[in-house]
Amino acid sequence: MSIFAARRVARRDLVAVAVIAALALALLYRSQAAGETGSGNLFPYAYFVDDLPNGLRLVTVPTDYPNMVALYVVVRAGSRDEVEAGKSGYAHLFEHLMFRGSENYTPEQRDAVMKRAGADTNASTNQDRTTYYAVFSKEDLDEVLAEEADRFQRLKYAEPAYKTESLAVLGEYNKNSSEPLRKLNEVLYQTAFTRHTYAHTTMGYLQDIQDMPNQYAYSLEFYNRFYRPEYVTVVIVGDVARDATLALAKKYFGGWERGSHVPAIPPELPQMESRTAHVDWSSPTLPWVAVAFKGPAYSDEVKDKVALDLLSDVAFGSNSELHRRLVLEEQKVDELFVDFANHPDPELFTVYARIKNANDIDGVREQVLSTFARFTTDTVDQAKLDATRSRIRYSFALRMNSSPAIAASLAPYILLRRTPDTINKVFALYQQVTPQDIRTMAAKYFTETNRTIVTLASKTGSQ
Amino acid sequence: MARRILFVLMLGALLQTPAFTQAPSVLQPGTSPLIVFRILFTTGAAYDAAGKEGLASLTAALLAEGGSRSMTYQQIVDAMYPMATSVNWQVDKEMTVFSGTTHVENLDKYYALLKQMLLDPGFRLEDFTRVRDAAVNFIKVSLRESNDEELGKEYLYNVIYAGHPYGHHNRGTLSGLQRITLDDVRAFYRAHYTRANLVLGLAGGYPKDFDTKLAMDFARLPAGTSDRKAFEAPAAAAGTRLAIVTRDTRSTAISLGFPIDVNRSSPDWPALSVAVSHFGQHRSSNGYLYGRLREARGLNYGDYAYLEYFPRGMFQFTPDPNLARQQQIFQIWIRPVEVATGVFTLRAALYEYDTLIRAGLSTEEFEATRQFLTKYSNILTQTQSARLGYALDSRYYGIGDYNSYLRDALARLTVEDVNGAIRRHLSTKAMRIVVVTRDAKPFEEAVAKNTPSPIAYNAPKPKEIMEEDAVIQSYRLNVKPQDVTVVPVERVFE
């Protein structure tokens, strides 16, 4: 018997279940689904989940896109894990340091491997995770995985290289700094969160970035904590077979030693008062208003998050009443959107509006607020709710147009539950949400004492 | 020049569309349930009337983000909503494309909307006002005041193509946009949205005969006459010129480049692609310049080089298709640096570029880059939409299937071909530099007095870097003081 706890999660049989026909899937296997009226899973691919004894998880998703392989390595380390004062931005710094060489590969040797493979390779960091990816031809999988495994387990950078790389992070801060929304978000999160680490941005505070060159020893500690197999899920999507990927994962990641760190992320205390802040922007720009409420964490079991997901489209989406009024009819706003991503801890449900004329800031803010208020008492229209479910279903299907796109769609869910199955579970939950559920959740979360409003306007006038 | 004329003649032949036939099409039938449309018109911002800069762009925006004759825009948005679909638009100098993807289950409904949006537009004043506001705010806020990198890159095009049909941003100028009326948009639509300018692109598992239906429907457009014409190379006065855009910003963004007589149809394009990928592959740590400026010195976030127009590069890793042009520039993109290291970084970029054109590629560098590009073309064309887009571009350039074309051309190349192409096309004879900064003075002084710009690091550097720095800190910019212009940001894209 294998020492690896492996389980195969196959696509469910297609059965006719009219009730959930709106989520009738296997969308990307049209030939197989032809003539079927039943349901499958929103995530239409068979996949394999294999756990190594050291805690590393491998998710393999064979697809019918020929030749290409997408390798995504999801590390459960984000700015959420940066608990020490003065140490914001280190998860992101590590995204950079991971390109600075390892025991068996200098940066130049890693570059050469990727260049030979014709790979598209990069990484990104957010509040909850750091995601490394490489997309390349299947014949290069062994060589690429050998190199990638080395840097995850045996990263090696000297202090001068560390200091130089910290300047590249400053360069990244610099190139972002002319975008007003970046500053607005920094202030919004700092105002809304007082204890939880969501208070700081993933990029980190400027003073912490400027201090990074002095923190070589701390950087080694950060690596030692989080670059451990129990924090890592390796996702391989494309023209691959599970036996081969599992053998490679054992070969290259099997000897990785499990760590012991458990981050102590301070929970946010309930907010007891509405909060506001304002950003004076030094150069000409259009004003922004951001209205945020603390929302629920991700769940594929209870309805809070999915109910408000559906409401985010109904109330603030492209065919919402508010969009029609502010953007199309009155034309006071030229950008209106919601940010309400999935997170392991409660985060923000934020509506952003960019206002064409500074005189309209108060009026737009009131219209946004009254929209929030309305859905705490009124139920959403059933037809609109159904249309929104349909939209979610198709937007997911339309995104899955290549192996890397499938891997990229999976990565956020891998962070949350380490399995694609959570996608199917959460979309099944969407089907159970009623208009009453949405009203209940709106009333629960959209309260005045749970609210933060931040505005941004140019000191020099709205150009 | 003869080759340029040949290319234009070839282009003309390709685009030749007799009035009695349907428009040409690029079809990529397959089994995917995702159906991709790319409806291409070979017209664009280069055809904006003088004083009406932005007209091509506004016309496309109004079609894609406005109502049809029988449906308001709100009704179209409502109909698109449950399908999660949209019609996207992109206008470049010589191409306008409308793209969209739908699940085959919604094909009929989606196509009914797409068809009426493009063939029977509503031209409502309220839609026009909204899309024009969006264009104005894009230039005033998004481009001028929120993204120094794109500002610098786009302004470089304005500088190089001053007085040329490519000389304004695709979205227009602020004064041009103010002058454009709804009647101008109607007239542009009538004159340019014709069968003579149309190429239909369709991919995916669409039903049998759907392509015929598409062609028949779009045959309703007037026959028209093709917009095709030769765009000459811009007048590029000899010497390096420096344009400094001043605005209140934290850091300094730098772009530099010059026109090249090479596009994807040119014999030297594959060879030059190898040189440019080696020197500055987009968003890759594999580029030579990136290695010298970012990795060795920590000057900024990245440094890249280009052979073709590549807008929005800070937001994406692969270029959008359907930006095909007769005229292209070679461009170096230096991502923002600290104000104190601005002049040093510019000198370093010029120094490294000079090294490239002096030394060329080694055999080893050539082989590695050739192998990279041979495989990387699969990355560029990995989605149906990209494959369709590349096929439309290949049709425009007359090069056949892009991947095969590139793979075959790369297989035949030698390092001498690449270094020969560098010698023929890359130089510093007519370099244009754009700097976006709050402090123009150090650049002006470096030009006027060749004031050195020494650099200090936060960590010890290898001897080789220190020696190179000693050369770079006084490296001549070769700009005459009269060839420096300083422009406040509120004056650009006026």
Side-chain angles (χ1 to χ4, degrees), chain A residues 28 45 65 395-407 409, chain B residues 32 34 36 101 381-387:
Chain A
L28 293 168
Y45 290 93
Y65 294 106
S395 67
F396 196 82
L398 292 176
R399 278 208 302 275
M400 307 261 248
N401 60 0
S402 67
S403 291
I406 293 166
S409 298
Chain B
S32 170
L34 308 185
V36 179
T101 303
T381 54
Q382 64 189 305
T383 66
Q384 271 194 131
S385 182
R387 279 193 295 280

mmCIF file of all heavy atoms in Angstrom, chain A residues 28 45 65 395-407 409, chain B residues 32 34 36 101 381-387:
data_model
loop_
_atom_site.group_PDB
_atom_site.id
_atom_site.type_symbol
_atom_site.label_atom_id
_atom_site.label_comp_id
_atom_site.label_asym_id
_atom_site.label_seq_id
_atom_site.Cartn_x
_atom_site.Cartn_y
_atom_site.Cartn_z
ATOM 1 N N LEU A 28 -16.977 22.443 -20.364
ATOM 2 C CA LEU A 28 -15.877 22.400 -21.317
ATOM 3 C C LEU A 28 -15.748 21.037 -21.980
ATOM 4 O O LEU A 28 -14.828 20.810 -22.732
ATOM 5 C CB LEU A 28 -14.591 22.798 -20.609
ATOM 6 C CG LEU A 28 -14.616 24.259 -20.171
ATOM 7 C CD1 LEU A 28 -13.496 24.571 -19.221
ATOM 8 C CD2 LEU A 28 -14.570 25.181 -21.368
ATOM 9 N N TYR A 45 -13.016 19.352 -14.721
ATOM 10 C CA TYR A 45 -11.935 18.411 -14.999
ATOM 11 C C TYR A 45 -11.783 17.386 -13.873
ATOM 12 O O TYR A 45 -11.955 17.718 -12.700
ATOM 13 C CB TYR A 45 -10.611 19.155 -15.180
ATOM 14 C CG TYR A 45 -10.587 19.956 -16.454
ATOM 15 C CD1 TYR A 45 -10.952 21.286 -16.467
ATOM 16 C CD2 TYR A 45 -10.252 19.357 -17.664
ATOM 17 C CE1 TYR A 45 -10.972 22.011 -17.648
ATOM 18 C CE2 TYR A 45 -10.257 20.071 -18.841
ATOM 19 C CZ TYR A 45 -10.620 21.394 -18.827
ATOM 20 O OH TYR A 45 -10.635 22.102 -19.993
ATOM 21 N N TYR A 65 -5.744 20.256 -23.448
ATOM 22 C CA TYR A 65 -4.935 21.228 -24.199
ATOM 23 C C TYR A 65 -3.563 20.605 -24.437
ATOM 24 O O TYR A 65 -2.853 20.304 -23.479
ATOM 25 C CB TYR A 65 -4.799 22.536 -23.421
ATOM 26 C CG TYR A 65 -6.107 23.261 -23.254
ATOM 27 C CD1 TYR A 65 -6.758 23.280 -22.032
ATOM 28 C CD2 TYR A 65 -6.701 23.913 -24.323
ATOM 29 C CE1 TYR A 65 -7.971 23.938 -21.877
ATOM 30 C CE2 TYR A 65 -7.914 24.566 -24.183
ATOM 31 C CZ TYR A 65 -8.547 24.576 -22.954
ATOM 32 O OH TYR A 65 -9.742 25.218 -22.814
ATOM 33 N N SER A 395 -19.194 32.932 -16.425
ATOM 34 C CA SER A 395 -17.927 33.655 -16.355
ATOM 35 C C SER A 395 -16.810 32.699 -15.933
ATOM 36 O O SER A 395 -15.680 32.816 -16.408
ATOM 37 C CB SER A 395 -18.011 34.877 -15.433
ATOM 38 O OG SER A 395 -18.193 34.484 -14.119
ATOM 39 N N PHE A 396 -17.136 31.739 -15.097
ATOM 40 C CA PHE A 396 -16.132 30.744 -14.728
ATOM 41 C C PHE A 396 -15.759 29.897 -15.947
ATOM 42 O O PHE A 396 -14.582 29.664 -16.227
ATOM 43 C CB PHE A 396 -16.664 29.847 -13.597
ATOM 44 C CG PHE A 396 -15.599 29.059 -12.905
ATOM 45 C CD1 PHE A 396 -14.834 29.636 -11.900
ATOM 46 C CD2 PHE A 396 -15.343 27.740 -13.248
ATOM 47 C CE1 PHE A 396 -13.837 28.923 -11.258
ATOM 48 C CE2 PHE A 396 -14.344 27.015 -12.603
ATOM 49 C CZ PHE A 396 -13.591 27.612 -11.610
ATOM 50 N N ALA A 397 -16.767 29.458 -16.686
ATOM 51 C CA ALA A 397 -16.506 28.616 -17.867
ATOM 52 C C ALA A 397 -15.682 29.367 -18.914
ATOM 53 O O ALA A 397 -14.765 28.811 -19.522
ATOM 54 C CB ALA A 397 -17.830 28.153 -18.469
ATOM 55 N N LEU A 398 -15.995 30.657 -19.104
ATOM 56 C CA LEU A 398 -15.295 31.429 -20.138
ATOM 57 C C LEU A 398 -13.831 31.665 -19.767
ATOM 58 O O LEU A 398 -12.988 31.856 -20.643
ATOM 59 C CB LEU A 398 -16.001 32.768 -20.372
ATOM 60 C CG LEU A 398 -17.389 32.694 -21.024
ATOM 61 C CD1 LEU A 398 -18.027 34.081 -21.104
ATOM 62 C CD2 LEU A 398 -17.340 32.072 -22.402
ATOM 63 N N ARG A 399 -13.552 31.660 -18.478
ATOM 64 C CA ARG A 399 -12.155 31.875 -18.053
ATOM 65 C C ARG A 399 -11.280 30.659 -18.339
ATOM 66 O O ARG A 399 -10.075 30.772 -18.477
ATOM 67 C CB ARG A 399 -12.115 32.144 -16.545
ATOM 68 C CG ARG A 399 -12.415 33.558 -16.162
ATOM 69 C CD ARG A 399 -11.729 33.921 -14.846
ATOM 70 N NE ARG A 399 -12.083 33.072 -13.735
ATOM 71 C CZ ARG A 399 -13.159 33.235 -12.955
ATOM 72 N NH1 ARG A 399 -13.998 34.226 -13.204
ATOM 73 N NH2 ARG A 399 -13.390 32.419 -11.943
ATOM 74 N N MET A 400 -11.868 29.481 -18.398
ATOM 75 C CA MET A 400 -11.068 28.248 -18.471
ATOM 76 C C MET A 400 -10.664 27.942 -19.903
ATOM 77 O O MET A 400 -11.048 26.904 -20.449
ATOM 78 C CB MET A 400 -11.900 27.099 -17.923
ATOM 79 C CG MET A 400 -12.436 27.411 -16.548
ATOM 80 S SD MET A 400 -11.445 26.680 -15.296
ATOM 81 C CE MET A 400 -12.554 25.514 -14.690
ATOM 82 N N ASN A 401 -9.895 28.824 -20.515
ATOM 83 C CA ASN A 401 -9.614 28.667 -21.940
ATOM 84 C C ASN A 401 -8.202 28.199 -22.252
ATOM 85 O O ASN A 401 -7.775 28.216 -23.404
ATOM 86 C CB ASN A 401 -9.923 29.987 -22.677
ATOM 87 C CG ASN A 401 -9.088 31.129 -22.156
ATOM 88 O OD1 ASN A 401 -8.280 30.941 -21.259
ATOM 89 N ND2 ASN A 401 -9.285 32.299 -22.710
ATOM 90 N N SER A 402 -7.459 27.789 -21.241
ATOM 91 C CA SER A 402 -6.119 27.235 -21.457
ATOM 92 C C SER A 402 -5.687 26.581 -20.151
ATOM 93 O O SER A 402 -6.272 26.848 -19.093
ATOM 94 C CB SER A 402 -5.120 28.339 -21.836
ATOM 95 O OG SER A 402 -4.924 29.206 -20.739
ATOM 96 N N SER A 403 -4.657 25.775 -20.197
ATOM 97 C CA SER A 403 -4.180 25.139 -18.955
ATOM 98 C C SER A 403 -3.717 26.177 -17.926
ATOM 99 O O SER A 403 -4.068 26.060 -16.750
ATOM 100 C CB SER A 403 -3.075 24.136 -19.265
ATOM 101 O OG SER A 403 -3.629 23.036 -19.970
ATOM 102 N N PRO A 404 -2.951 27.197 -18.323
ATOM 103 C CA PRO A 404 -2.585 28.205 -17.326
ATOM 104 C C PRO A 404 -3.795 28.936 -16.758
ATOM 105 O O PRO A 404 -3.820 29.279 -15.575
ATOM 106 C CB PRO A 404 -1.696 29.183 -18.100
ATOM 107 C CG PRO A 404 -1.256 28.450 -19.299
ATOM 108 C CD PRO A 404 -2.244 27.401 -19.603
ATOM 109 N N ALA A 405 -4.799 29.168 -17.596
ATOM 110 C CA ALA A 405 -5.998 29.859 -17.097
ATOM 111 C C ALA A 405 -6.725 28.991 -16.075
ATOM 112 O O ALA A 405 -7.253 29.499 -15.077
ATOM 113 C CB ALA A 405 -6.918 30.218 -18.262
ATOM 114 N N ILE A 406 -6.734 27.693 -16.308
ATOM 115 C CA ILE A 406 -7.367 26.786 -15.346
ATOM 116 C C ILE A 406 -6.584 26.805 -14.034
ATOM 117 O O ILE A 406 -7.154 26.908 -12.947
ATOM 118 C CB ILE A 406 -7.435 25.358 -15.934
ATOM 119 C CG1 ILE A 406 -8.388 25.335 -17.121
ATOM 120 C CG2 ILE A 406 -7.868 24.350 -14.869
ATOM 121 C CD1 ILE A 406 -8.273 24.082 -17.990
ATOM 122 N N ALA A 407 -5.270 26.743 -14.145
ATOM 123 C CA ALA A 407 -4.439 26.773 -12.940
ATOM 124 C C ALA A 407 -4.616 28.088 -12.183
ATOM 125 O O ALA A 407 -4.712 28.099 -10.955
ATOM 126 C CB ALA A 407 -2.973 26.564 -13.317
ATOM 127 N N SER A 409 -7.231 29.992 -12.197
ATOM 128 C CA SER A 409 -8.555 30.001 -11.580
ATOM 129 C C SER A 409 -8.570 29.146 -10.313
ATOM 130 O O SER A 409 -9.298 29.432 -9.364
ATOM 131 C CB SER A 409 -9.612 29.462 -12.551
ATOM 132 O OG SER A 409 -9.690 30.287 -13.687
ATOM 133 N N SER B 32 -13.963 23.353 -29.220
ATOM 134 C CA SER B 32 -14.196 24.055 -27.955
ATOM 135 C C SER B 32 -15.617 24.596 -27.891
ATOM 136 O O SER B 32 -16.125 25.126 -28.878
ATOM 137 C CB SER B 32 -13.207 25.219 -27.808
ATOM 138 O OG SER B 32 -13.593 26.018 -26.712
ATOM 139 N N LEU B 34 -16.291 27.177 -26.386
ATOM 140 C CA LEU B 34 -16.141 28.630 -26.314
ATOM 141 C C LEU B 34 -15.942 29.165 -27.732
ATOM 142 O O LEU B 34 -15.008 28.768 -28.421
ATOM 143 C CB LEU B 34 -14.966 29.013 -25.418
ATOM 144 C CG LEU B 34 -14.947 28.401 -24.019
ATOM 145 C CD1 LEU B 34 -13.793 28.968 -23.198
ATOM 146 C CD2 LEU B 34 -16.264 28.608 -23.291
ATOM 147 N N VAL B 36 -15.153 32.210 -30.209
ATOM 148 C CA VAL B 36 -14.423 33.484 -30.178
ATOM 149 C C VAL B 36 -14.673 34.266 -31.464
ATOM 150 O O VAL B 36 -14.545 33.718 -32.567
ATOM 151 C CB VAL B 36 -12.904 33.247 -30.026
ATOM 152 C CG1 VAL B 36 -12.155 34.565 -30.024
ATOM 153 C CG2 VAL B 36 -12.609 32.460 -28.756
ATOM 154 N N THR B 101 -16.140 36.549 -26.552
ATOM 155 C CA THR B 101 -16.217 35.097 -26.439
ATOM 156 C C THR B 101 -17.535 34.733 -25.768
ATOM 157 O O THR B 101 -17.922 35.361 -24.781
ATOM 158 C CB THR B 101 -15.044 34.554 -25.599
ATOM 159 O OG1 THR B 101 -13.822 34.964 -26.187
ATOM 160 C CG2 THR B 101 -15.084 33.027 -25.522
ATOM 161 N N THR B 381 0.395 32.066 -28.150
ATOM 162 C CA THR B 381 -0.815 31.667 -28.886
ATOM 163 C C THR B 381 -1.565 30.547 -28.154
ATOM 164 O O THR B 381 -2.186 29.708 -28.774
ATOM 165 C CB THR B 381 -0.442 31.197 -30.303
ATOM 166 O OG1 THR B 381 0.551 30.165 -30.203
ATOM 167 C CG2 THR B 381 0.112 32.325 -31.132
ATOM 168 N N GLN B 382 -1.524 30.576 -26.838
ATOM 169 C CA GLN B 382 -2.102 29.432 -26.130
ATOM 170 C C GLN B 382 -3.613 29.488 -25.996
ATOM 171 O O GLN B 382 -4.231 28.462 -25.733
ATOM 172 C CB GLN B 382 -1.452 29.261 -24.767
ATOM 173 C CG GLN B 382 -1.680 30.417 -23.821
ATOM 174 C CD GLN B 382 -0.826 30.280 -22.578
ATOM 175 O OE1 GLN B 382 -0.888 29.273 -21.917
ATOM 176 N NE2 GLN B 382 -0.046 31.290 -22.265
ATOM 177 N N THR B 383 -4.236 30.627 -26.163
ATOM 178 C CA THR B 383 -5.705 30.644 -26.108
ATOM 179 C C THR B 383 -6.254 30.749 -27.533
ATOM 180 O O THR B 383 -5.570 31.214 -28.448
ATOM 181 C CB THR B 383 -6.234 31.840 -25.293
ATOM 182 O OG1 THR B 383 -5.895 33.038 -25.979
ATOM 183 C CG2 THR B 383 -5.637 31.861 -23.895
ATOM 184 N N GLN B 384 -7.502 30.333 -27.670
ATOM 185 C CA GLN B 384 -8.156 30.437 -28.980
ATOM 186 C C GLN B 384 -8.187 31.871 -29.468
ATOM 187 O O GLN B 384 -7.970 32.156 -30.641
ATOM 188 C CB GLN B 384 -9.621 29.991 -28.846
ATOM 189 C CG GLN B 384 -9.879 28.547 -29.033
ATOM 190 C CD GLN B 384 -11.374 28.308 -29.227
ATOM 191 O OE1 GLN B 384 -11.747 27.634 -30.143
ATOM 192 N NE2 GLN B 384 -12.218 28.846 -28.386
ATOM 193 N N SER B 385 -8.475 32.773 -28.544
ATOM 194 C CA SER B 385 -8.585 34.177 -28.923
ATOM 195 C C SER B 385 -7.243 34.707 -29.428
ATOM 196 O O SER B 385 -7.186 35.440 -30.422
ATOM 197 C CB SER B 385 -9.076 34.994 -27.727
ATOM 198 O OG SER B 385 -9.228 36.330 -28.094
ATOM 199 N N ALA B 386 -6.168 34.311 -28.745
ATOM 200 C CA ALA B 386 -4.843 34.756 -29.193
ATOM 201 C C ALA B 386 -4.493 34.144 -30.546
ATOM 202 O O ALA B 386 -3.961 34.827 -31.428
ATOM 203 C CB ALA B 386 -3.791 34.388 -28.147
ATOM 204 N N ARG B 387 -4.793 32.851 -30.698
ATOM 205 C CA ARG B 387 -4.473 32.206 -31.992
ATOM 206 C C ARG B 387 -5.205 32.894 -33.139
ATOM 207 O O ARG B 387 -4.649 33.137 -34.203
ATOM 208 C CB ARG B 387 -4.847 30.721 -31.953
ATOM 209 C CG ARG B 387 -3.817 29.846 -31.286
ATOM 210 C CD ARG B 387 -4.070 28.376 -31.546
ATOM 211 N NE ARG B 387 -5.299 27.887 -30.957
ATOM 212 C CZ ARG B 387 -5.451 27.556 -29.674
ATOM 213 N NH1 ARG B 387 -4.442 27.679 -28.842
ATOM 214 N NH2 ARG B 387 -6.611 27.116 -29.228
#
